[in-house]
Amino acid sequence: MPQIRQLFDADWPKAWEVIEPVFRDGETYPYPRDITMDDAYDIWVSVPSKTFLAVDGAGSIVGTYYLKPNQPGQGSHVCNCGYIVSPEARGLGIASAMCQHSQREAIAEGFRAMQYNLVVATNTGAIRLWQKLGFDIAGTLPHAFDHPQSGFVDAHIMYKQLV
């Protein structure tokens, strides 16, 4: 299993190498496919409360996730996360390890629940994993995501009570 640790600014160029292909392919995140490295830094590192890396035994970054309040004020007890696993590390349990880690971190930070706002319906592997880890589909947004190959597809809101 990977070591999961907080991301430091010096890690960003290598983390971007993992994030960039996912943002560019446009299949799972709604960010502009031509997003700049600086704008991605703001989204993935500056805005979240914390950002983490999954690092393999050789020291290579194999995944990353962020943790942040889903809403301000009266909604700030619910957190939101985003996860990315490098293509070469998919299927090795990295996403599962990061999700479990994020839940422990969320509880330690005082969050009471976790919500994923836009899980693209074509991302069946992620949906299956999140459900296996206790998340429910709280709602489906018809045609809410413009998928580059499939056109307008549904997106799910997924939710899990933590405490």
Side-chain angles (χ1 to χ4, degrees):
M1 278 292 90
Q3 174 197 7
I4 300 176
R5 64 168 178 81
Q6 225 169 327
L7 177 144
F8 301 105
D9 283 341
D11 297 317
W12 177 244
K14 289 291 184 188
W16 174 238
E17 290 177 14
V18 172
I19 295 167
E20 182 180 20
V22 174
F23 284 7
R24 299 274 182 252
D25 76 20
E27 294 183 5
T28 55
Y29 281 92
Y31 306 120
R33 294 174 74 185
D34 63 350
I35 192 169
T36 66
M37 185 176 172
D38 289 341
D39 287 344
Y41 180 89
D42 289 342
I43 290 166
W44 206 262
V45 181
S46 294
V47 171
S49 305
K50 291 184 176 179
T51 304
F52 293 89
L53 299 175
V55 180
D56 68 12
S60 297
I61 297 171
V62 293
T64 179
Y65 82 87
Y66 64 76
L67 175 70
K68 66 181 183 179
N70 193 52
Q71 298 292 330
Q74 281 61 36
S76 64
H77 61 286
V78 178
C79 69
N80 174 259
C81 294
Y83 309 88
I84 293 179
V85 176
S86 66
E88 59 274 5
R90 291 194 183 135
L92 301 177
I94 306 300
S96 180
M98 289 193 302
C99 183
Q100 291 169 341
H101 186 271
S102 70
Q103 291 177 62
R104 290 189 301 273
E105 283 292 321
I107 292 167
E109 292 289 319
F111 292 108
R112 300 181 54 80
M114 188 174 285
Q115 179 174 318
Y116 305 147
N117 298 321
L118 196 76
V119 182
V120 180
T122 56
N123 193 356
T124 56
I127 294 166
R128 191 171 40 254
L129 177 59
W130 305 151
Q131 288 177 322
K132 179 181 172 186
L133 294 174
F135 288 81
D136 294 314
I137 295 175
T140 300
L141 307 168
H143 309 289
F145 188 85
D146 188 5
H147 191 280
Q149 281 76 42
S150 302
F152 292 102
V153 299
D154 295 350
H156 303 300
I157 300 166
M158 300 188 76
Y159 189 84
K160 181 178 181 179
Q161 197 72 40
L162 298 174
V163 295

